Structure formats: C-alpha cells, structure tokens
Amino acid sequence: MTGVPRSSQMPATPSRSAVSMRVLLSNEFGLTALIALTAVVFALTLEGFTSPFSLFAMGRQIGIDTMIGLAMMAVIVTGGLDLSVGAIGVCAAMTFGWLAQTKGVPVLPSVVLAVLLGGGLGFINGFAVVKSGVHSFIITLASMSIFFGIMVFLTKAAAYNGLPAEVSAFGKFKFFKTISPLLLISVASCIGLALLYRFTVLGRQMLAAGANARAAELSGIRTGRVIVACHILTGLLAAMAGLLVVARTGAAVPSMAGQLGQDWLLPAFLAPVLGGTLLSGGRVSVLGTLLGATFVNVLTSGLLLMQVGSFWILAILGSMLLAAVFTDRARQVFLKSRGMI
Amino acid sequence: MAQPFALGPTARLFDNDWIGPCIVSLIAILAISWFQPAFLSSFNIFVLSSAIAVNMVIALGQLVIIGIGQMNLALGSIGGLVAISFVGVMEKFGIPVPIALAFALGIGVLMGMASGYIIARTMISAFIITLAGLQIFKGINLGITQAQPFYGVPDGVKAFGQASVLGPLPWLLVPMLLASAGVWYMFNRLRIGRHILALGANPHAAELSGIDPKVTIIWAHAVSGLLAATAGVMLVAKLQIGQPTIGDDWLITSFAAPVIGGAVLSGGRVSVGGTFFGVVIIAVITQALVIFNIDPFAVQIVLGALILWAVGINRLREVRIAKLQSMGAKT
C-alpha cells in the first residue's frame, strides 16, 4: 500500500476480477458511492437541500475544506504532520487584511504576498524539522503557538473588516447561480497537485521520501530538501485556505480558526484520511481529499437541515474520523488476506 | 538508566532530569523578585501556586502518555467534559459532592480507557484516535451545555478552590501533591509503570520480554483520563463555575512542561520532578509578563519558544550522554 507506482506492486498479470475488486474497494469509489447515496436520500427527504443557495453554500465550504485538507495532505506525504496549518492560515489572512486595508495595496498583490508569507512560515517549519531531527509534531506544536502568538500580538486581536468590496463580492459570486469560485480554485489546486505528484520529479521524490526515507536517500534523493519542500507547499496551501475563508466572511478575523488555529485540525485530517491518504506517508489521494471534503459537507448540510445542532455535528464528524480509519484498516486486512497487496 | 562507568556525586546530581529546570526556575524567581519585590507577596504566591497545581496535574496526564511514546490530544476535551458533568449532575439532579466527584472521575477514566482500547486494539496511531476523541468529547460537551456554563457549584467546592491550607499555599496543592506522588510511585515502584516505560523505550523488546502491550496501553490512557478528570474538577473549584471552555487551552502546556522537564517524546523516559519545574517555569514566566505589563498575548510566543529551547537542550544532552557512554565502553 505504501509503494509509489502502485502497478509495480501488483502481480505481473492481475486477473480482471482482482482489478475490479481493487476499484470497488478503493476509497474514491467508496466515497463517491457514499456521497451519491447521502445526497439522493437528503434530496428526496429534505426540503431546500437542492435549492440553489444550499448548493452554493455547500460548494463554497467544500472549496475551503478541500484546501485545508490539501494543506495537511502535502505534509502527511512525508509521514509527518503540521499542527500549525490553522495558525499559518490565520497569519496569511491577517497579513492580507493589513496589506489590503491598512496599507492600501491592491487586492491581487496582497493575495500573492500573503500566500508567500504562508510558504515562508512553512519553510521555517520544514527547516526546523529537518535540521533538528525532532518529529514534526513537537516542532509544529511550538510553531503554532509562536505564529499565532505573534499574529495576535501584532494585530491586538482586532479584525480587518473594512476590506475592499471586491473581496466579499468574490466570496458571494456565483457561476450558474450555484457554483462558487472558491470551489473552482480548490478544484484547480487539486489538478495542480495531482500533476505534481504524478508527473514531476519533485512530486515523485516527495512520495518516495515518504514511503521509505532511507531507500530514497540511498537512491540519491536529498530527502531533507524534499521534506522542506513539502512543508513549504503546506504553508502555501494553508495560506490559500486562509484567504478563501476571508473571501467567504468578507473580513479577516483572528479567531476564524479558533484558539491557536486548532479548529482546522479536524477538517485538515478528516478529508485526506477519508480519501485514503496514508498517515505513515508515501501515498496520497488528491481526488480522495476532494471527495472526502465533499462527503463531510453533504452530510453536514443535511444534518443542519434536519435541525441537528451544530455542536452535535462536531461529535458526529469526530466519529466519522474514527470510522474512516477503521474502514481503512479493515480494507487493508481484506486485501492482504486475498493476496492483493 | 544504566551507567557503564562511575560518575562523581556532582556529575550524578547534574545527570538528573530535574536539576536544569530547577536551577532555571530558581534564577527566574530570584531575578523577578529582585526587580519587583511584590512577586513574593503572599497573594502572588497563592495565585502562582494555584496555577502551578492545576497545570501540574494536566502535565502529568500527558506525561503518562508520553512515557508510552504516544500523545493524547483529547486530554483537554476529557477535562472539559468531566468539568461540566461534575457541575451538571450537582445542579440538575442535586447529587451530593462526593458522589458527583466519583462519577466525574469515573467518566474521565472511562473516556481514557475508550481511547486506549481503540488504540491498543487497532494499533492505529494515537494521534488520529485522540484527535477524533477530542472532537467527539468536545462535541458532546457543547451539545449538552449549548456552550453555556453551569453555575451550580456548591459552596464547599468553591471554598476548596479559594482557601489556603497553610499560609499562602492553596488547598489545590493537595490533589497536585497526591497526583505527583501517585505518578512517581507508579513509574518507579509499580510493575505497570515499568511496563509503560519499557514499552515506550522499545516496543519490540518489551513485547518479547512478556509485556502485554494492549493492557499497558489501556492502563496508561486510563491513568491519563483520571488525571485529566482531576484537573477538570480542580479548575471548576478554582474558577467557581462549570465552564464548557475548560480544557481548550491545555494542549501546549501539557506538552511544554514534560518536554522542559526532559521527557523524551518517543517514549521511555519521563521525569515527574522535571515536569514539576517545567510547570513552575511556565507559571513564573506567565506571571512575570503580567507583572511587567507585557502584552499577555506574548505568552503564546514564549511557550512556543520554550518548547523549542527544551527540545534543543534535550537533543544536546542525548548527544552528550551517547558520547560519554561510548567513552565509558572503551575504557
């Protein structure tokens, strides 16, 4: 399951039934089926589930959750993790707010600078992890506290809510009355990442370093640099997620990701894990992450329409994370027993 | 740890995990009280000790899990759910304090055991299981309270959180001392404590020598749940209210103190004394920021920096010890 080119691990001539079984048991297929089933049930039973506004709001949130999930996925590839994604996202959002509102910088350059700041913070994480040899958990635990602390210190915990009008207009914009540009940005990022992991040397190296760091090192990959690159990518994506949230709310708010940015941890892990990204590294599923975020939001909006309190939904999503890792474990056991891994 | 060569008494003292943090906290206290004598006023000592008492129990809850080489992200959400359950059953059902206390501590142990059982049974990483646990417990907490606090804390509990047991020392120090002694005893004298450390240091070797990893993991998480529950109840007494937000800010402190105290995050090496001085350093610095009128938000930056500093020091010590041991082996 950890191999990079999956085909190389399969028997030389896999039987047709083994291939179709593999497809049926894949996360992507399972998730698509689940999404279709839940969506059909909700559409038939709940009034307003398929209204244009409901679809628009759902798509917009899917866009944001996908971006948060991709940010974490980019570093899970190496077998590491980044607790500071929320803190980086808020830092980027507040930087954007400061540039666009206080400094009067035009929107587009502000976006670019904020995203670059995210990449810089990711670089700090990656550099510290590689140079110290300490697990990324403790390094990013410290950096989430530091990044968030500096942000609150500089902004005095005040929000930027006088942003240029085009920011909230962008967040409210609809293609065909239902599709949010936020969703399109995330789908475009998915395509970009899929190309990166499939066709570029760097992407291949990221997967190889995550699957087996020593083997990668022996085959001439400078794993240290690759891991730093993964953290930079995480920082860039986290910053973009922060900006998507700004576009949705129309303001840059320091508490948008909760205390120290901890509220992003659930969506950050839920989407990739549901989508079949291995926590031990070496295997990613970009499409799975998109589908994972979609499933979460289809379920959430259905439950909200059923008047389930949003607090209980938090508990349900937590249980879903458990269910996802259980399913993953069960599938691996099944595939192993059939000799398919 | 086994020493392959003899160390002098001074060297042996400095080989202890707690000595470094102890010296740092003494210097910090002396320096701050030299600039600001009010730092050692009895009121300030009371405030400081109350904070230390609660944070120490929180840190011990994480220390037990660090010992086994795992992490418990759900610590704070267990403490929060216990806190609101403790006050909730007293306010809504008029249950007397001792029974409510036993109930609250009991559900803390159960929540810990549930995480432990799932981790032991599936061997999925503790990080992801306790992350799910964090969301589930927090969701139940908010679902029950609708984010509103319970106010029905009995006078006896309130008095416990505000009264002093001896001079400027608060009653809250008593459960802290009991918990610290208990955890110390467990790690140094009880078989289960030894098993936890052995499993943390080298899971494979531990299993080969007959340690049951499943039982050990469940035990460690149950103890962690009990400590989180104790800290939750202590915070109810200290804050005089059943706040649903209790536990939200435990994550950083719970890791910072053990790491400052020399705990190795991959497991197998923990120090109760070191953790205590880690907690003291954090409390003293937090208090100093208040006294010198520095922005309270700077606490987050300082805490993060302290973790990095401690990780760096631990790393240097590891290198030094390895070097000393290889020298000892040669002679």
Side-chain angles (χ1 to χ4, degrees):
Chain A
M1 217 58 174
T2 50
V4 188
R6 223 198 271 171
S7 55
S8 69
Q9 287 185 338
M10 286 180 22
T13 48
S15 67
R16 180 167 295 175
S17 73
V19 172
S20 62
M21 182 69 90
R22 186 179 275 283
V23 170
L24 287 178
L25 279 168
S26 73
N27 283 74
E28 290 83 354
F29 180 83
L31 271 176
T32 314
L34 262 178
I35 294 168
L37 187 73
T38 348
V40 167
V41 170
F42 283 154
L44 292 178
T45 55
L46 296 172
E47 203 169 324
F49 184 76
T50 48
S51 73
F53 181 76
S54 161
L55 291 177
F56 165 73
M58 222 188 301
R60 193 165 64 169
Q61 195 55 42
I62 291 170
I64 291 171
D65 283 359
T66 304
M67 197 63 92
I68 297 175
L70 291 177
M72 191 59 83
M73 189 197 76
V75 71
I76 294 179
V77 170
T78 65
L81 46 85
D82 186 352
L83 297 182
S84 69
V85 278
I88 293 179
V90 183
C91 283
M94 298 312 285
T95 308
F96 171 77
W98 176 70
L99 288 170
Q101 184 179 324
T102 312
K103 292 279 146 190
V105 178
V107 172
L108 209 55
S110 303
V111 168
V112 172
L113 287 173
V115 171
L116 286 180
L117 175 93
L121 296 180
F123 171 78
I124 293 175
N125 279 338
F127 186 78
V129 168
V130 170
K131 283 292 163 197
S132 68
V134 178
H135 193 269
S136 51
F137 174 82
I138 196 74
I139 296 287
T140 56
L141 181 75
S143 67
M144 99 195 250
S145 192
I146 296 174
F147 296 162
F148 196 86
I150 292 176
M151 182 279 297
V152 176
F153 185 75
L154 291 177
T155 60
K156 303 280 170 234
Y160 291 104
N161 39 25
L163 295 174
E166 55 258 51
V167 176
S168 61
F170 187 75
K172 293 197 182 89
F173 190 80
K174 297 170 184 138
F175 293 105
F176 310 114
K177 287 188 187 159
T178 49
I179 299 170
S180 164
L182 306 195
L183 179 61
L184 297 183
I185 291 176
S186 285
V187 171
S189 308
C190 283
I191 296 172
L193 283 178
L195 295 177
L196 171 80
Y197 290 123
R198 194 163 282 265
F199 295 115
T200 69
V201 176
L202 181 64
R204 286 293 187 172
Q205 287 181 341
M206 285 172 171
L207 291 168
N212 189 335
R214 186 168 297 171
E217 189 85 46
L218 287 176
S219 58
I221 296 173
R222 302 179 71 171
T223 41
R225 284 188 178 194
V226 172
I227 289 173
V228 174
C230 289
H231 278 274
I232 295 176
L233 187 57
T234 295
L236 294 171
L237 290 164
M240 280 165 70
L243 295 177
L244 293 185
V245 175
V246 172
R248 189 196 57 193
T249 45
V253 191
S255 61
M256 70 187 207
Q259 168 81 4
L260 298 178
Q262 287 179 57
D263 289 4
W264 278 20
L265 284 182
L266 182 68
F269 281 97
L270 195 47
V273 170
L274 275 173
T277 297
L278 281 185
L279 285 171
S280 49
R283 195 199 139 166
V284 290
S285 170
V286 177
L287 176 64
T289 302
L290 175 65
L291 290 172
T294 308
F295 178 57
V296 168
N297 280 293
V298 168
L299 193 70
T300 307
S301 9
L303 291 173
L304 280 176
L305 279 175
M306 285 159 72
Q307 309 285 326
V308 177
S310 59
F311 296 137
W312 290 111
I313 291 177
L314 191 65
I316 293 173
L317 292 184
S319 318
M320 219 162 77
L321 182 60
L322 274 187
V325 282
F326 289 164
T327 323
D328 196 53
R329 187 49 55 104
R331 190 179 49 232
Q332 283 182 35
V333 170
F334 178 79
L335 285 175
K336 219 167 249 170
S337 74
R338 302 283 295 261
M340 282 190 242
I341 305 186
Chain B
M1 63 196 289
Q3 295 292 347
F5 56 98
L7 283 172
T10 331
R12 223 177 312 155
L13 182 64
F14 277 89
D15 196 45
N16 276 320
D17 278 333
W18 54 266
I19 194 79
C22 175
I23 293 172
V24 172
S25 43
L26 284 179
I27 293 175
I29 292 173
L30 286 177
I32 295 166
S33 49
W34 189 65
F35 282 111
Q36 180 60 266
F39 186 70
L40 290 178
S41 69
S42 57
F43 172 74
N44 205 42
I45 290 180
F46 184 87
V47 172
L48 208 56
S49 328
S50 302
I52 290 173
V54 175
N55 284 341
M56 179 62 186
V57 179
I58 295 171
L60 286 173
Q62 195 66 265
L63 187 73
V64 175
I65 303 298
I66 292 177
I68 208 164
Q70 299 179 352
M71 49 199 98
N72 187 359
L73 300 189
L75 199 70
S77 62
I78 292 178
L81 186 49
V82 164
I84 62 114
S85 313
F86 176 57
V87 188
V89 292
M90 291 191 294
E91 184 186 308
K92 297 289 170 198
F93 307 116
I95 288 175
V97 177
I99 301 176
L101 180 66
F103 169 75
L105 297 183
I107 59 172
V109 172
L110 279 182
M111 282 188 273
M113 280 178 81
S115 319
Y117 177 77
I118 295 174
I119 294 164
R121 190 63 210 279
T122 62
M123 283 317 214
I124 296 169
S125 91
F127 174 84
I128 204 81
I129 300 292
T130 55
L131 176 67
L134 158 70
Q135 308 297 337
I136 296 172
F137 302 146
K138 186 73 200 174
I140 296 174
N141 174 339
L142 293 174
I144 292 173
T145 58
Q146 294 297 313
Q148 296 302 313
F150 285 119
Y151 293 98
V153 181
D155 291 337
V157 178
K158 284 186 179 172
F160 182 78
Q162 294 288 309
S164 62
V165 61
L166 186 75
L169 300 177
W171 261 105
L172 286 173
L173 284 175
V174 175
M176 181 207 86
L177 287 174
L178 289 176
S180 309
V183 172
W184 184 88
Y185 189 77
M186 182 181 85
F187 278 130
N188 290 283
R189 295 285 181 273
L190 289 184
R191 183 179 292 174
I192 185 67
R194 288 289 176 194
H195 285 184
I196 289 176
L197 292 180
L199 197 65
N202 189 335
H204 192 62
E207 216 169 322
L208 286 180
S209 58
I211 293 175
D212 185 344
K214 291 194 170 61
V215 173
T216 314
I217 291 173
I218 295 175
W219 256 99
H221 281 271
V223 173
S224 176
L226 177 62
L227 289 164
T230 311
V233 171
M234 287 165 75
L235 268 175
V236 167
K238 186 177 169 226
L239 301 173
Q240 319 265 298
I241 190 176
Q243 271 283 10
T245 53
I246 284 175
D248 284 1
D249 52 357
W250 291 10
L251 188 67
I252 304 279
T253 328
S254 77
F255 279 99
V259 171
I260 293 172
V264 176
L265 282 165
S266 53
R269 184 180 177 132
V270 296
S271 161
V272 174
T275 305
F276 174 74
F277 288 111
V279 170
V280 172
I281 292 177
I282 294 171
V284 166
I285 291 182
T286 311
Q287 191 78 347
L289 293 176
V290 177
I291 285 185
F292 295 122
N293 273 326
I294 300 168
D295 199 318
F297 297 128
V299 172
Q300 299 296 351
I301 308 171
V302 173
L303 274 182
L306 271 179
I307 294 180
L308 290 183
W309 169 74
V311 166
I313 297 271
N314 290 351
R315 191 92 192 147
L316 282 179
R317 272 170 34 127
E318 274 169 45
V319 172
R320 193 183 60 97
I321 288 173
K323 207 192 252 174
L324 276 176
Q325 276 175 343
S326 68
M327 270 162 57
K330 267 179 221 156
T331 49

